[in-house]
Amino acid sequence: MQLIFEKSCEGRSCSMMPSCDVPVCEIPASLKRESAPKLPQMAEVDISRHYTELMKRTHGVNDGFYPLGSCTMKYNPKINDEMANLAGFAGLHPLQPVHTVQGALEALSVLESYLDEITGMDAMTFQPAAGAHGEFTGLLMIKAYHKANGDLKRNKIIVPDTAHGTNPASCTMAGFKVISIPSNEDGCVDLDKLRSVVGEDTAGLMLTNPNTVGIFDKNILEITKIIHEAGGLNYYDGANLNAVMGIVRPGDMGFDVIHLNLHKTFSTPHGGGGPGAGVVGCKNILAPFLPLYHTVKSGEGYEMEAPAQSIGSVRSFYGNYGIAIRALCYVMTLGKEGIPEASSNAVLNANYMRVNLQDEFDIAFNNICMHEFVISLTRTKKDKGVTALDFAKALLDYGVHPPTMYFPLIVDEALMVEPTETESKDTLDEVVRIFKEILKNANENPEALHEAPHTTPVSRLDEVKAAREPVLRYEY
Ligand SMILES: *Cc1c(COP(=O)(O)O)cnc(C)c1O
């Protein structure tokens, strides 16, 4: 496929300007560029075809099954996009006077109250632009809290080895030392290990529950209590709330601060790098440290308030506002009954697939799972030389997006499968059949799997080169 620059044809354009009916005023030479920008020149229909062609080369939820574990690639109702695109929301300028954006602030405030109710938190900020950004924000709030208490020696955050890679990275970014603790044979936090590492230097714990092997830690109340008794705070990585929303609340599990990925659980299409919203919620003890500014009810209207000991801004203005509107529509559409039902179906779908695959595949920590489960292909690799990567690539030939590969790190040759609640039984049955067929092929003709995929626009890419030496600019 040609790049848009290669399709460009001198003199073509898709704009039709009316003739000028005001006096022409020369732009000062100092403000003018010396040569015209090298932009592609194309007719409107060719641009439309170009992007349609590109679109056909990708795989999205609208193309087929997309069980990318820990990412919640579910169907997002189009009505929520439409609402976010309403001119009254999409056409606002962030510097407009507050009295002209009262409806927009009310929408944020109502969403905040719903998300507080779903998570058991007291206050929330919409500024962070993604999950990792939310982690960073929440950790800075923990840091500010200890500092305000004069508790300066608390510089360590405890992170289980099942954690998402962003957790230790965010801790380091926020200036903490990471203490990694191993999981026990059930895939849960090892309580004795946890007790042995807490102390006067514990700033807090960072935990995902259900964790990245899809297991809900049944000792959660004991875990958060151990941290609180040591003087630390508990951070909940709620990027994947899909298994628990409306059923259990992080606030009731003993967590003090959390982030939610609105772009995973709450109806924003994501992937390909954005946009996202990693909103951060906290209990009252941390509310004074929230970023600037916080929407609050004031008399009949709404105002933006600076929290007393705010950590400052972590992003411009109100965050990715349109994503909040999608989330608000999603929550209001599902309501009190629909929210827990969505979670229950996500859990049911994951268990349905897990049980239908468990006779042929090795499932890590094979027990009732939450929204996702992890397959290990160690045996297939050892016996046939077929790796998790080979298996993932073979799925592409069936029009199925691969699961998350080689994560979590504690499972060898891992494939992490998250079917989500929006898939039907028919789809799940078909995908189970495909998984089994690929496994059979791997056993009978392992060499062929090293060559997959055969039907995609490109086959095996040099991923290391793509990451290390990305070519992001067209060179004329
Ligand atoms: C996706 C995810 C994150 C990071 O979220 P981003 O929006 O990609 O920064 C953090 N933790 C968990 C458990 C996740 O699944």
Side-chain angles (χ1 to χ4, degrees):
M1 177 176 171
Q2 278 187 314
L3 299 176
I4 196 163
F5 298 98
E6 292 159 353
K7 289 179 182 170
S8 171
C9 189
E10 186 74 32
R12 286 198 187 148
S13 87
C14 48
S15 56
M16 279 187 286
M17 295 295 210
S19 52
C20 184
D21 59 357
V22 292
V24 176
C25 166
E26 264 306 308
I27 297 170
S30 64
L31 296 178
K32 274 187 172 171
R33 56 193 306 153
E34 276 154 25
S35 56
K38 287 179 175 164
L39 297 175
Q41 302 184 42
M42 293 176 84
E44 187 170 326
V45 64
D46 295 325
I47 294 182
S48 180
R49 285 181 186 151
H50 176 75
Y51 285 107
T52 304
E53 191 181 351
L54 271 180
M55 185 189 80
K56 285 182 185 161
R57 293 163 71 97
T58 66
H59 183 100
V61 172
N62 292 319
D63 297 294
F65 193 55
Y66 203 143
L68 194 64
S70 202
C71 290
T72 313
M73 303 301 284
K74 62 184 182 183
Y75 176 74
N76 298 298
K78 299 290 173 272
I79 182 79
N80 301 337
D81 279 344
E82 260 178 59
M83 295 300 110
N85 281 324
L86 288 176
F89 293 130
L92 295 179
H93 192 284
L95 289 175
Q96 263 175 251
V98 166
H99 76 268
T100 66
V101 292
Q102 287 293 304
L105 295 183
E106 180 175 359
L108 270 192
S109 188
V110 170
L111 176 61
E112 177 176 351
S113 67
Y114 289 158
L115 294 178
D116 281 344
E117 189 174 337
I118 290 171
T119 57
M121 294 291 134
D122 298 316
M124 225 160 247
T125 174
F126 290 91
Q127 263 204 347
H133 197 190
E135 292 169 21
F136 178 67
T137 305
L139 288 164
L140 288 186
M141 289 164 62
I142 291 179
K143 197 174 189 176
Y145 170 87
H146 289 311
K147 194 170 164 210
N149 290 338
D151 219 350
L152 300 174
K153 60 192 174 307
R154 297 195 179 271
N155 65 347
K156 298 201 170 85
I157 300 276
I158 299 162
V159 182
D161 60 1
T162 48
H164 195 268
T166 50
N167 291 186
S170 300
C171 291
T172 308
M173 290 275 292
F176 289 110
K177 280 207 182 68
V178 178
I179 306 293
S180 177
I181 52 165
S183 306
N184 62 21
E185 64 276 10
D186 303 323
C188 296
V189 170
D190 185 326
L191 288 180
D192 291 334
K193 258 269 137 33
L194 179 64
R195 285 194 191 95
S196 75
V197 297
V198 294
E200 291 187 339
D201 56 0
T202 301
L205 167 86
M206 215 172 173
L207 193 79
T208 310
N209 192 32
N211 63 20
T212 58
V213 285
I215 305 288
F216 189 94
D217 202 313
K218 56 185 185 303
N219 295 320
I220 192 63
L221 293 176
E222 184 64 24
I223 293 167
T224 52
K225 192 167 142 218
I226 291 171
I227 298 296
H228 278 158
E229 283 177 356
L233 294 176
N234 292 300
Y235 184 102
Y236 181 85
D237 178 341
N240 312 113
L241 210 66
N242 227 39
V244 296
M245 59 173 180
I247 296 174
V248 287
R249 312 194 311 166
D252 300 333
M253 296 180 210
F255 288 93
D256 306 292
V257 52
I258 68 164
H259 81 266
L260 302 177
N261 279 19
L262 298 189
H263 51 290
K264 286 178 181 169
T265 310
F266 293 97
S267 197
T268 285
H270 70 116
V279 302
V280 170
C282 64
K283 291 277 182 71
N284 279 329
I285 50 159
L286 284 173
F289 306 99
L290 279 168
L292 300 170
Y293 288 86
H294 186 223
T295 312
V296 288
K297 184 120 183 110
S298 151
E300 289 296 291
Y302 294 87
E303 273 178 23
M304 300 306 283
E305 185 188 76
Q309 293 158 280
S310 174
I311 58 165
S313 282
V314 295
R315 193 188 178 282
S316 52
F317 305 113
Y318 310 84
N320 283 332
Y321 184 77
I323 293 179
I325 297 304
R326 287 177 179 85
L328 177 62
C329 295
Y330 182 73
V331 173
M332 291 180 85
T333 308
L334 292 187
K336 258 204 161 80
E337 300 76 32
I339 293 270
E341 192 183 330
S343 282
S344 302
N345 286 337
V347 171
L348 178 64
N349 279 0
N351 280 290
Y352 181 78
M353 265 192 88
R354 178 182 63 81
V355 168
N356 277 289
L357 290 172
Q358 66 183 2
D359 290 343
E360 278 92 342
F361 289 85
D362 295 330
I363 314 275
F365 311 105
N366 193 11
N367 221 316
I368 301 265
C369 65
M370 293 290 119
H371 58 303
E372 60 195 4
F373 61 94
V374 181
I375 293 172
S376 171
L377 287 181
T378 307
R379 201 153 46 99
T380 321
K381 182 181 174 192
K382 197 163 132 263
D383 297 348
K384 301 288 170 183
V386 172
T387 62
L389 179 73
D390 293 328
F391 196 94
K393 296 290 181 193
L395 278 167
L396 292 168
D397 282 331
Y398 291 86
V400 171
H401 193 284
T404 297
M405 310 178 295
Y406 299 100
F407 182 79
L409 302 175
I410 60 169
V411 178
D412 283 333
E413 294 300 319
L415 288 177
M416 182 197 225
V417 183
E418 180 181 2
T420 84
E421 74 280 13
T422 56
E423 299 300 332
S424 68
K425 179 172 176 294
D426 299 342
T427 303
L428 301 180
D429 286 338
E430 175 61 8
V431 173
V432 164
R433 187 193 67 71
I434 292 168
F435 269 59
K436 289 181 180 174
E437 188 171 310
I438 295 173
L439 189 64
K440 188 162 164 274
N441 294 345
N443 286 324
E444 288 170 2
N445 186 7
E447 287 309 314
L449 259 83
H450 299 318
E451 309 287 313
H454 302 279
T455 58
T456 47
V458 288
S459 187
R460 300 248 175 155
L461 301 172
D462 185 341
E463 288 167 14
V464 176
K465 193 170 161 70
R468 298 270 158 82
E469 300 165 40
V471 181
L472 303 173
R473 251 179 82 195
Y474 182 69
E475 300 282 350
Y476 284 91

